[in-house]
């Protein structure tokens, strides 16, 4: 049997912190325990926030932690054609439509709907897409696209959920409410998610699913903050005919006030800890490993 494949997939939009160290070390440990392979993927599709110096720091910090990964490293910005291809396949199934509202317009639409009561929110707390671009005629769409207006390409969630039902995944870790084992997917909770934008032919959801399949990842070890997004990933995998890997969501490392760490959380940044003389083995202890 082929060895299991793991991946650590950071975005180079800031320095790594203790939460990343925990995730990377868990992946590394799982790969070692199982005789598996560990890949590193740089998720750099957001050109406005990702920077080469953060990528260089990722390599350096992981090596300092004692983590070894296979080469070459996959950098998402170099594979836009793969995502465009997946997007074209979803478009051919008539599951994708352009929506032209700006973020400010969406906020106004949500506020107007909330005058009549609460408007549904996705598992991350963002309001579901409130617009009706889905019902624009083909000619109106073409006209707006031709006018050069910016747009987001959204998944027609209702149509997608009609095509594939009964989705689930094998959870080897634990969800925020203790979910484990075979977990049913609820992608509709996310509404018409964005799959791409006029300027960027992909999104986090689309590229993560395409890459995990292209790289043959068999067990995805990542933070519980992405537990609910797995429902969208399972849906896209099914629509694109891609295999469904196992998932192992892990607890999040929090700061002293119990908040999830962010890339700007200075004192828990690996660089700050290293500068303060903390060793890689104490990082393991700090995150509760060994
Ligand atoms: N790039 C994502 C992040 O840095 C992780 C994606 C994933 O593990 O699925 O949060």
């Amino acid at each position: 049997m082929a060895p299991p494949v793991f991946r650590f997939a950071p975005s180079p939009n800031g320095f790594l912190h203790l939460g990343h160290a925990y995730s990377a070390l868990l992946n590394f440990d799982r790969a070692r325990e199982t005789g598996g392979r560990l890949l590193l993927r740089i998720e750099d599709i957001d050109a406005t926030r990702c920077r080469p110096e953060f990528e260089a720091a990722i390599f350096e910090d992981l090596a300092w932690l004692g983590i070894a990964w296979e080469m070459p490293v996959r950098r998402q910005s170099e594979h836009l054609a793969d995502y465009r291809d997946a997007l074209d396949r979803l478009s051919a199934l008539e599951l994708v439509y352009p929506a032209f509202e700006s973020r400010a317009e969406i906020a106004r639409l949500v506020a107007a709907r909330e005058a009549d009561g609460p408007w549904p929110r996705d598992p991350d707390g963002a309001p579901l897409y409130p617009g009706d671009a889905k019902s624009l005629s083909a000619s109106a769409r073409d006209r707006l696209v031709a006018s050069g207006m910016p747009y987001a390409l959204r998944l027609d969630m209702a149509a997608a959920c009609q095509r594939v039902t009964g989705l689930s995944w094998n959870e080897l870790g634990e969800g925020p409410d203790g979910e484990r084992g075979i977990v049913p997917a609820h992608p509709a909770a996310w509404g018409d998610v964005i799959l791409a934008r006029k300027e960027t032919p992909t999104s986090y959801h689309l590229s993560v699913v395409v890459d995990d399949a292209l790289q043959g990842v068999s067990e995805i070890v990542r933070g519980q903050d992405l537990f609910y997004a797995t429902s969208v990933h399972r849906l896209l995998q099914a629509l694109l005919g891609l295999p469904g890997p196992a998932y192992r969501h892990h607890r999040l490392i929090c700061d002293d006030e119990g908040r999830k760490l962010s890339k700007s959380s200075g004192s828990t940044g690996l660089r700050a800890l290293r500068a303060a003389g903390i060793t890689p083995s104490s990082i393991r202890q700090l995150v509760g490993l060994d």
Side-chain angles (χ1 to χ4, degrees):
M1 222 174 81
V5 181
F6 299 84
R7 52 53 161 195
F8 177 58
S11 298
N13 54 13
F15 292 116
L16 299 186
H17 54 57
L18 278 180
H20 298 107
Y22 182 52
S23 205
L25 287 166
L26 276 182
N27 271 290
F28 181 57
D29 290 356
R30 281 289 297 150
R32 275 211 305 204
E33 276 159 28
T34 60
R37 300 164 52 202
L38 175 61
L39 311 179
L40 174 62
R41 185 165 76 224
I42 299 294
E43 302 213 322
D44 61 346
I45 49 171
D46 183 351
T48 57
R49 298 174 63 217
C50 293
R51 298 221 295 266
E53 56 270 33
F54 292 134
E55 183 187 294
I58 288 172
F59 298 149
E60 200 186 296
D61 291 350
L62 293 177
W64 174 73
L65 282 173
I67 292 175
W69 59 90
E70 268 183 32
M71 298 299 272
V73 168
R74 185 174 170 95
R75 203 177 275 120
Q76 290 188 324
S77 58
E78 294 169 354
H79 297 277
L80 297 184
D82 290 331
Y83 315 129
R84 196 174 283 120
D85 177 61
L87 191 62
D88 287 348
R89 286 162 58 205
L90 296 171
S91 299
L93 298 173
E94 299 190 348
L95 295 177
V96 182
Y97 67 91
F100 301 90
E101 296 91 347
S102 65
R103 285 196 175 86
E105 272 168 292
I106 289 185
R108 265 198 303 278
L109 286 172
V110 170
R113 310 246 168 163
E114 293 210 306
D116 304 328
W119 181 249
R121 298 192 170 240
D122 71 23
D124 282 347
L128 299 197
Y129 171 64
D132 46 20
K134 194 162 87 173
S135 50
L136 282 178
S137 68
S139 60
R141 269 178 203 172
D142 292 349
R143 205 163 2 93
L144 287 167
V145 170
S147 76
M149 238 170 119
Y151 56 85
L153 290 169
R154 291 183 176 270
L155 178 70
D156 182 341
M157 184 58 83
C161 287
Q162 264 178 5
R163 266 185 176 267
V164 280
T165 51
L167 286 174
S168 61
W169 75 88
N170 186 11
E171 177 61 52
L172 304 173
E174 201 171 77
D177 288 320
E179 301 91 335
R180 56 191 319 146
I182 302 302
V183 175
H186 297 298
W190 291 90
D192 290 0
V193 288
I194 294 179
L195 295 177
R197 292 184 187 276
K198 182 184 172 199
E199 312 294 347
T200 317
T202 190
S203 61
Y204 161 64
H205 294 309
L206 187 63
S207 38
V208 84
V209 156
V210 168
D211 284 349
D212 285 332
L214 277 174
Q215 296 190 287
V217 176
S218 54
E219 182 178 322
I220 294 179
V221 179
R222 63 182 180 191
Q224 265 172 3
D225 51 338
L226 293 169
F227 178 81
Y228 295 112
T230 309
S231 286
V232 176
H233 301 172
R234 285 295 299 120
L235 176 64
L236 294 176
Q237 285 157 357
L239 294 169
L240 292 165
L242 306 174
Y247 289 84
R248 184 182 294 272
H249 290 95
H250 59 72
R251 67 184 163 83
L252 299 176
I253 306 287
C254 293
D255 65 13
D256 293 340
E257 274 92 57
R259 283 182 309 236
K260 187 187 140 189
L261 302 183
S262 73
K263 289 235 162 98
S264 52
S265 33
S267 61
T268 54
L270 292 184
R271 311 220 122 197
L273 291 164
R274 184 170 154 193
I278 307 278
T279 63
S281 61
S282 17
I283 298 279
R284 273 193 169 269
Q285 280 165 4
L286 276 174
V287 297
L289 288 168
D290 304 339

